[in-house]
Amino acid sequence: MNPANANVLTINGGSSSIKFALFGPDQSSKRLFAGRIEGVGLSQGAFIVKSASPGPGDNFSHPVAVPDHAAAVKLLMDWLAERIAGGSLAAVAHRIVHGGAKYWQPQRITPQMIEELHQLSPFDPEHLPEEILLAEAFHRRFPDLPQIACFDTAFHHDMPRLAQLLPIPRRYQAKGARRYGFHGLSCAYLMHALEREAGAAAAQGRVILAHLGNGASITAVRAGSSMDTSMGLTPASGLPMSSRSGDLDPGLAWYLARTEQMSARQFHHMVNHEAGLAGISETSSDMRELLRRQAEDVRAAEAIALFCYQARKWICAMAGVLEGLDTLVFAGGIGENAAEVRSRICSGLNFIGIDLDEASNQAGAASISSAASAVSVRVIATDEESMIAQDAYRVLGQHN
């Protein structure tokens, strides 16, 4: 099959959702349709599709029952089998969050890779098992269809050694214990978008990428390369997120084991699903809901304040890594849409050259820094699926 004449389907599997999009052909990055199945594992889910072309068959939102990922995958593949004609698909490209030390470059998925990803699941038990399930299910349903893995750690693979090191006994390094960094597909897209919007000089300067969404990370980039990032061995580290704790005193695990008889499994669940905004507010992991409630609920107000405080700390830390700052980029669901959060994060950062134009910020403009700001502050809508598609076409080209 000539990939120039066929499409690429991207799959982005999460702990409670599956996002997908159809691109093509020939690296055009034209999105033909996009959709998601959400609410996996909950009492009520939704199957949502939006097409680039008008038509009721490809634009809908239906309630669905998806008790687990297996049910969600079957629902998706049944729909795709009807929607995509035979021979029109060049490949399925998957976002794989963690590939350990061996896997980071985009590449064809092989039985050996799947076997080794199973062994790597302890690195990221929140994402890898579901991502493997998706790849295996597609292979069973469409055995002749190439599948490509696009790893979320790739952008950070060549971080300086000091940024990779964990301060633990060296014997664990041989087993792959180091800082990997995540949101790499988003970072790669944002750097391409920054060059397109602000020019090559801006993209080659000192850049901080603030990807703030359900997962949140702050990344320092210089000359287009990742120098450091807030997430480390797992995506639960760094700043507080919707339900992830971010960095914690490691003594907390032993403290809770002694005082609450909390097991390692329970601790893992707590820091991934009950912490962050959800834990502090005791009501919601959704920043939009917390912003609505903050005036009358001190817990919501503190959750927002802690998130902004920690993001501001990380931005200052990354400015130190870069020995200065030229551009700050906000992205992700919170970074792109919550003007108040952007304003509060940037408040008091004049000493590193950041000064917002509040009118532009409130309007959601692409550039939100003032004329007097030494640092350019921008808002860019990230697009991981587009990056996955571009990586997939490169791999297909190498194989043809």
Side-chain angles (χ1 to χ4, degrees), residues 50-132:
K50 293 184 179 180
S51 173
S53 303
D58 293 330
N59 289 276
F60 61 82
S61 177
H62 300 321
V64 292
V66 279
D68 53 33
H69 276 79
V73 171
K74 183 179 185 305
L75 177 65
L76 174 59
M77 289 194 298
D78 287 347
W79 183 80
L80 289 171
E82 297 178 0
R83 174 63 179 77
I84 300 173
S88 68
L89 200 59
V92 177
H94 299 260
R95 171 180 174 257
I96 306 294
V97 171
H98 213 312
K102 180 175 181 178
Y103 292 109
W104 57 277
Q105 291 179 318
Q107 57 192 279
R108 291 278 289 268
I109 295 176
T110 64
Q112 179 183 352
M113 179 194 292
I114 291 295
E115 181 180 341
E116 293 181 349
L117 288 180
H118 275 294
Q119 298 171 6
L120 290 171
S121 288
F123 277 117
D124 188 11
E126 296 301 309
H127 298 94
L128 265 179
E130 284 74 24
E131 292 165 349
I132 295 168

Side-chain angles (χ1 to χ4, degrees), residues 90-332:
V92 177
H94 299 260
R95 171 180 174 257
I96 306 294
V97 171
H98 213 312
K102 180 175 181 178
Y103 292 109
W104 57 277
Q105 291 179 318
Q107 57 192 279
R108 291 278 289 268
I109 295 176
T110 64
Q112 179 183 352
M113 179 194 292
I114 291 295
E115 181 180 341
E116 293 181 349
L117 288 180
H118 275 294
Q119 298 171 6
L120 290 171
S121 288
F123 277 117
D124 188 11
E126 296 301 309
H127 298 94
L128 265 179
E130 284 74 24
E131 292 165 349
I132 295 168
L133 182 152
L134 279 161
E136 291 176 330
F138 268 94
H139 179 69
R140 287 192 298 270
R141 186 70 173 265
F142 309 106
D144 297 326
L145 185 62
Q147 295 194 78
I148 295 167
C150 300
F151 293 94
D152 212 24
T153 54
F155 187 79
H156 308 293
H157 181 265
D158 295 321
M159 282 194 307
R161 176 164 170 76
L162 287 181
Q164 296 184 25
L165 284 176
L166 290 173
I168 57 177
R170 284 184 177 269
R171 62 183 179 272
Y172 297 113
Q173 294 178 28
K175 298 181 179 181
R178 66 171 175 84
R179 300 184 69 252
Y180 287 91
F182 302 92
H183 288 147
L185 290 162
S186 174
C187 289
Y189 178 84
L190 293 172
M191 291 306 297
H192 284 301
L194 178 63
E195 181 172 1
R196 185 169 62 247
E197 296 179 14
Q204 288 298 307
R206 299 166 297 182
V207 181
I208 291 178
L209 305 174
H211 178 114
L212 308 179
N214 285 332
S217 65
I218 309 287
T219 297
V221 183
R222 182 166 58 208
S225 298
S226 176
M227 305 306 293
D228 203 347
T229 188
S230 57
M231 287 178 171
L233 175 69
T234 77
S237 55
L239 63 156
M241 303 169 227
S242 62
S243 63
R244 300 178 205 159
S245 65
D247 287 349
L248 293 171
D249 181 340
L252 179 64
W254 179 228
Y255 168 78
L256 293 175
R258 286 180 295 142
T259 60
E260 303 285 335
Q261 291 71 55
M262 183 178 286
S263 67
R265 181 182 294 273
Q266 290 170 326
F267 183 81
H268 173 83
H269 179 83
M270 185 269 286
V271 299
N272 279 281
H273 299 285
E274 300 175 351
L277 297 177
I280 295 295
S281 71
E282 297 185 309
T283 55
S284 177
S285 61
D286 191 323
M287 180 63 79
R288 294 166 296 184
E289 177 65 21
L290 298 177
L291 288 168
R292 287 192 290 267
R293 298 172 60 94
Q294 63 177 324
E296 66 270 2
D297 187 340
V298 66
R299 299 168 301 171
E302 285 188 340
I304 298 166
L306 179 62
F307 181 87
C308 296
Y309 171 71
Q310 291 288 348
R312 188 161 58 249
K313 280 202 332 184
W314 274 104
I315 288 170
C316 291
M318 293 306 176
V321 169
L322 296 172
E323 300 178 352
L325 180 60
D326 301 311
T327 305
L328 170 63
V329 175
F330 284 102

